[in-house]
Amino acid sequence: KPIGNHFLSDRFYLLKPIGGGGAAHGDMSEKKLPPHGAQRHDCHCGSHQPPQLLDRQRLVNSLQLKGVIAATYSLDLEWMQDTWPQLAGRQSHVPTLILHGQRGLDERLECGNGNGLARSNTNARNASVNDNKNDDADIDSIGSLEESWEDRDARASRANPQPNNAKQRPIEISRARDASSDIFQSSKNLHVTEVRTASKRRVSTSVTSEKQATSTKSKLETKRGVFHPKFMLLFETSGDVVVMVSTANLTGTSTVEGCWLQRFYSRRRPKDDTVSRSKLTRPTIWRKHGGNDFGQALTHFLKTVSKMSKATDIDVAKFMQQHLAINLTRFQYEYRFENAEVDLVAVMPGDYDVDHSMTQQGASKWKSIGRQRLGSLLINSINASSDGKRGHDTLIAQSTSLGSNWTRQQMAKLARSLLGANEHNDDDQMLQQINIVWPSCEYLVAKDQEKKNIKADRKRANGDSNGDSNKNSGDPNNFVPTLIDPTKIQNTGTAFLSTNSFNSCEESCILRLAHYVDCEPAQIDSALPHIKSMTRLCSEETSRQLQQQYGDAKEHISWFLLTSACMSYGAQGIVSQEKYSDSEKVSYANFELGVLFQSRLYHGDEIADSRLYCFNPTKCACHSAGDDSSRLIHLPIPFSLRPAMYTSDSEASLFNATPYFHEVSEGTQCIGNMMLTPYARHMASAQLQAQRKRRK
């Protein structure tokens, strides 16, 4: 059931860059599906060319909407007014609720009515866009729930100072109205709600008195995270709803983003509706095997978000009741969510039992979140890695933020839960099966040069003789180890790893870093990645078996998770064991949301319902309905699934390149894990030579 002529819901798409922030290939947004017998250049399945890019702005504008609920970390209301005037600004008429986690946004919107100080108009937009740079930052602040939000923001700023290499933009304070505030005040039925992530838990501590008597006391501990999901619920005037889950904020950024969407039909459609009844009650093989709990999981997530919304703002439940006449508790029954082509994977703040019974097939599996949710979905599934070869697969964690204090035990527990391994697999073995994809300084410099080349080519095409480019540099896929100073690279606002966090992790975890390398062919040039994902890549042995029955591809994928979650404890969870108990708990601090694309292999009469996810299938399946190749589904993963590691075989403990750091703190350059990098070793050598010269 394609949306916008050709966007299918059993796969995801890359978003079309905004504002020309990269050359896009394979963009078929102006084309319909090619007719039977079309040439190879009309391929849209990922075999002979990348699939079409999804123009999020145009797609939303093409829908007849009666209401919108959107979630983002950061928000640019000026961009929204320009892009979707029906949602924001003086011309807005569609009731819209925006859930966000951007610190200080509410105060900025409120102070534009003349009751307080505001940023000047010239800096309002810059401030909104700059706040996006905190999107994936690892925020782990501890404090009292009773503290004011202003105090919290000030403390967070002290705990997360601006990086040394960031260009400081002065914020002018005036009593002029904020442009974003003007838009907010002039919008009709636009609600902007901050979602809080602070949660309390009771922990036990041992206290020893002066008489050496030990007693146990309990206290409340406050944990804070970030509201980080990115999704849109687009309620149509027809009564249906389009659900869109992506990695993109509601800002005008030009980065590589992933997006999935599906239209769900209303159960209230009349019998004589133009939509065929077969589409409303599609008897899929998934329903035979227990159905899809997408609706229950989404409703549970929205209920939790509603409970943790700022008390003075309108929440999801009130918005649905007031503008859509929908009771949130009945939301899962309003639409045919059982026809979802993917599984929903959410993360919510709190402590959750590592209850192995939750991973069994059961009616309550939708209540689990994060890694427990993945376990419940995968343990009883018939997927590409259920042939006993699980131990040979690779887990690829691609993120735009690497949190602090990762230990070998915690990372092994994460890999073990996602790969379905048991406790007999030791920690070292599990770490060898996980690769953490991260861009290097060389990659960032090459991307910057690539962008300059594209601009120069455009100038020459327009007759500008000054458009000169360096074609011999700027290849992000062929890095040459250099001594690039990370402090000289401009803060990208898309990747977050500080030298403090890097040094706080155990070396065994840092050694699992692998290079972020663009896929071949690259679908979007020069744009930096903001997409986040987890991939279970089939082993070469499993791939050889699969290609005999389903067809050959560059890579076969057991499952792929498109998510907003980064590699931090707040998003992935941290496992702890309760004192005086054998039970373990996984603690999460963030709100996150993702969708799971899972290969499902059936046999006999059900083989036609099989699907096998892959990258770059050899045979085009655009016109092969019923053929084995039509069950191979290409996912436009923008990076290489078998990248080179930062460590070489000859020098296993030394990096061949320097990872990108958004923040280099004074005194951390030449200590700890930093000494693995060429930059730190060069700095240390230069400092040693300088000391020797001074002694002479």
Side-chain angles (χ1 to χ4, degrees):
K1 301 187 296 299
I3 298 179
N5 292 330
H6 50 255
F7 293 114
L8 304 174
S9 53
D10 59 358
R11 63 204 70 185
F12 76 91
Y13 296 87
L14 297 182
L15 290 180
K16 187 175 182 179
I18 301 170
H25 304 285
D27 184 6
M28 297 175 61
S29 58
E30 299 291 336
K31 302 179 181 179
K32 295 183 179 180
L33 289 175
H36 182 71
Q39 299 299 316
R40 286 190 172 188
H41 63 268
D42 287 325
C43 170
H44 60 274
C45 69
S47 176
H48 302 309
Q49 73 173 20
Q52 61 270 22
L53 298 173
L54 194 157
D55 190 333
R56 179 177 63 161
Q57 291 70 39
R58 184 180 176 187
L59 187 140
V60 172
N61 285 327
S62 70
L63 302 176
Q64 297 296 319
L65 299 173
K66 68 175 181 181
V68 172
I69 297 177
T72 181
Y73 174 79
S74 54
L75 173 64
D76 185 349
L77 280 180
E78 287 191 74
W79 170 82
M80 276 198 67
Q81 178 182 244
D82 296 339
T83 305
W84 298 315
Q86 72 275 36
L87 306 185
R90 297 186 183 278
Q91 300 178 16
S92 63
H93 57 87
V94 177
T96 302
L97 171 63
I98 299 177
L99 307 163
H100 74 91
Q102 184 175 339
R103 300 190 306 274
L105 176 62
D106 285 7
E107 289 77 7
R108 191 160 73 238
L109 296 181
E110 292 169 0
C111 67
N113 57 15
N115 294 330
L117 296 179
R119 288 180 173 91
S120 68
N121 288 349
T122 57
N123 287 295
R125 190 179 185 93
N126 287 340
S128 179
V129 174
N130 282 344
D131 285 339
N132 186 37
K133 294 185 176 182
N134 292 327
D135 178 23
D136 301 325
D138 182 34
I139 299 175
D140 185 21
S141 56
I142 303 297
S144 170
L145 276 175
E146 288 70 30
E147 70 177 343
S148 68
W149 288 93
E150 292 79 10
D151 291 341
R152 187 204 66 174
D153 293 341
R155 181 169 45 76
S157 299
R158 291 192 298 270
N160 297 277
Q162 288 291 327
N164 296 335
N165 55 321
K167 294 184 177 180
Q168 300 292 331
R169 298 191 181 186
I171 297 178
E172 298 178 9
I173 301 298
S174 71
R175 292 192 179 274
R177 294 175 65 87
D178 190 315
S180 298
S181 179
D182 281 342
I183 296 172
F184 177 68
Q185 299 293 334
S186 64
S187 300
K188 301 177 182 178
N189 291 326
L190 173 61
H191 306 275
V192 179
T193 297
E194 182 174 2
V195 181
R196 298 180 172 183
T197 57
S199 60
K200 282 189 175 183
R201 65 172 181 174
R202 187 167 294 278
V203 295
S204 300
T205 57
S206 297
V207 179
T208 303
S209 64
E210 296 180 356
K211 298 181 179 180
Q212 302 301 315
T214 302
S215 61
T216 301
K217 291 186 177 181
S218 63
K219 67 175 183 178
L220 287 177
E221 182 182 80
T222 303
K223 179 174 55 180
R224 297 188 185 279
V226 291
F227 181 78
H228 200 239
K230 299 99 169 58
F231 67 86
M232 297 186 78
L233 304 181
L234 305 168
F235 297 88
E236 299 179 285
T237 55
S238 63
D240 305 326
V241 63
V242 174
V243 179
M244 181 186 296
V245 179
S246 74
T247 61
N249 288 299
L250 296 180
T251 58
T253 55
S254 299
T255 49
V256 178
E257 308 280 6
C259 182
W260 166 88
L261 74 166
Q262 181 171 347
R263 174 179 284 118
F264 295 97
Y265 294 112
S266 171
R267 294 186 183 276
R268 301 185 182 187
R269 278 184 173 271
K271 292 183 179 180
D272 58 349
D273 198 284
T274 54
V275 178
S276 65
R277 301 301 295 173
S278 61
K279 287 186 176 181
L280 296 179
T281 57
R282 185 167 57 90
T284 63
I285 193 67
W286 290 33
R287 294 175 64 184
K288 292 181 183 179
H289 290 270
N292 193 307
D293 59 2
F294 188 99
Q296 294 98 312
L298 179 58
T299 302
H300 181 52
F301 180 76
L302 293 176
K303 285 181 179 178
T304 307
V305 169
S306 189
K307 290 178 181 177
M308 299 190 70
S309 297
K310 197 172 180 180
T312 56
D313 297 336
I314 186 172
D315 57 31
V316 176
K318 293 177 182 177
F319 179 86
M320 280 190 173
Q321 189 68 55
Q322 180 178 338
H323 295 285
L324 303 171
I326 295 176
N327 189 331
L328 179 55
T329 59
R330 299 284 303 171
F331 180 62
Q332 66 195 63
Y333 306 112
E334 292 285 337
Y335 303 94
R336 300 188 179 274
F337 290 121
E338 67 272 12
N339 291 334
E341 296 286 351
V342 299
D343 294 294
L344 197 69
V345 179
V347 170
M348 293 171 278
D351 301 329
Y352 300 86
D353 290 328
V354 183
D355 187 355
H356 296 289
S357 64
M358 287 290 290
T359 61
Q360 303 300 318
Q361 193 79 11
S364 62
K365 64 177 182 179
W366 54 267
K367 292 183 179 179
S368 57
I369 67 168
R371 64 177 76 179
Q372 296 100 311
R373 168 71 170 168
L374 275 171
S376 68
L377 294 170
L378 297 171
I379 194 168
N380 286 326
S381 64
I382 308 173
N383 56 56
S385 298
S386 57
D387 59 351
K389 303 298 181 183
R390 289 173 172 165
H392 301 283
D393 289 352
T394 302
L395 180 66
I396 301 174
Q398 177 270 319
S399 176
T400 53
S401 176
L402 183 60
S404 56
N405 300 314
W406 276 102
T407 65
R408 179 174 64 94
Q409 183 185 41
Q410 289 293 336
M411 189 164 288
K413 285 181 178 293
L414 177 64
R416 188 177 290 110
S417 61
L418 298 182
L419 290 172
N422 54 45
E423 297 296 331
H424 297 295
N425 302 102
D426 60 40
D427 291 351
D428 291 335
Q429 180 181 351
M430 296 313 305
L431 284 183
Q432 292 302 313
Q433 290 182 240
I434 182 171
N435 293 337
I436 304 173
V437 177
W438 189 261
S440 65
C441 288
E442 287 80 0
Y443 177 87
L444 268 293
V445 171
K447 276 292 184 180
D448 183 61
Q449 182 61 51
E450 196 176 64
K451 186 179 295 185
K452 293 178 181 177
N453 292 344
I454 292 174
K455 290 182 178 179
D457 290 342
R458 289 173 178 169
K459 285 184 178 180
R460 281 200 305 271
N462 294 328
D464 187 352
S465 59
N466 294 325
D468 187 22
S469 61
N470 182 6
K471 292 294 184 180
N472 295 322
S473 64
D475 186 354
N477 293 344
N478 293 316
F479 68 91
V480 177
T482 58
L483 296 177
I484 297 177
D485 186 347
T487 64
K488 304 300 182 183
I489 301 177
Q490 185 176 3
N491 193 331
T492 66
T494 59
F496 296 88
L497 173 60
S498 67
T499 52
N500 281 327
S501 293
F502 189 76
N503 284 332
S504 71
C505 297
E506 291 188 4
E507 182 180 299
S508 56
C509 300
I510 294 299
L511 293 178
R512 300 315 305 162
L513 287 183
H515 287 274
Y516 185 102
V517 177
D518 291 342
C519 68
E520 291 290 345
Q523 192 168 359
I524 303 175
D525 291 336
S526 77
L528 294 173
H530 188 250
I531 189 174
K532 306 159 191 61
S533 62
M534 284 278 189
T535 310
R536 180 168 179 167
L537 186 65
C538 292
S539 65
E540 294 182 0
E541 181 180 354
T542 302
S543 291
R544 284 193 296 269
Q545 297 174 1
L546 293 171
Q547 73 180 32
Q548 295 177 2
Q549 184 173 1
Y550 298 96
D552 193 16
K554 190 172 183 179
E555 299 291 354
H556 292 97
I557 299 167
S558 176
W559 54 261
F560 179 91
L561 178 67
L562 180 71
T563 179
S564 64
C566 293
M567 278 295 291
S568 66
Y569 284 148
Q572 300 297 335
I574 181 171
V575 181
S576 60
Q577 187 168 331
E578 289 292 307
K579 197 168 186 178
Y580 310 116
S581 173
D582 294 332
S583 64
E584 288 184 330
K585 288 184 178 293
V586 183
S587 299
Y588 301 91
N590 294 3
F591 276 103
E592 310 282 358
L593 196 66
V595 285
L596 177 67
F597 302 86
Q598 184 181 172
S599 294
R600 295 174 181 265
L601 309 182
Y602 301 108
H603 305 282
D605 296 338
E606 301 175 345
I607 193 171
D609 293 288
S610 295
R611 67 173 60 170
L612 176 59
Y613 287 109
C614 68
F615 180 81
N616 193 204
T618 302
K619 183 178 179 181
C620 179
C622 294
H623 320 292
S624 307
D627 194 323
D628 286 344
S629 61
S630 65
R631 293 193 290 272
L632 274 177
I633 300 177
H634 167 79
L635 295 179
I637 301 172
F639 55 91
S640 172
L641 291 172
R642 297 191 187 274
M645 302 296 292
Y646 272 87
T647 54
S648 60
D649 294 335
S650 58
E651 295 178 302
S653 61
L654 296 179
F655 279 16
N656 48 36
T658 300
Y660 169 70
F661 298 103
H662 85 284
E663 177 180 329
V664 179
S665 300
E666 190 67 31
T668 64
Q669 299 98 320
C670 300
I671 61 173
N673 293 328
M674 284 296 295
M675 291 305 296
L676 298 173
T677 68
Y679 164 71
R681 295 197 298 271
H682 174 74
M683 287 280 293
S685 177
Q687 291 176 4
L688 183 60
Q689 292 179 7
Q691 291 176 0
R692 289 174 177 173
K693 287 182 179 180
R694 286 195 297 268
R695 290 173 183 174
K696 292 181 180 180

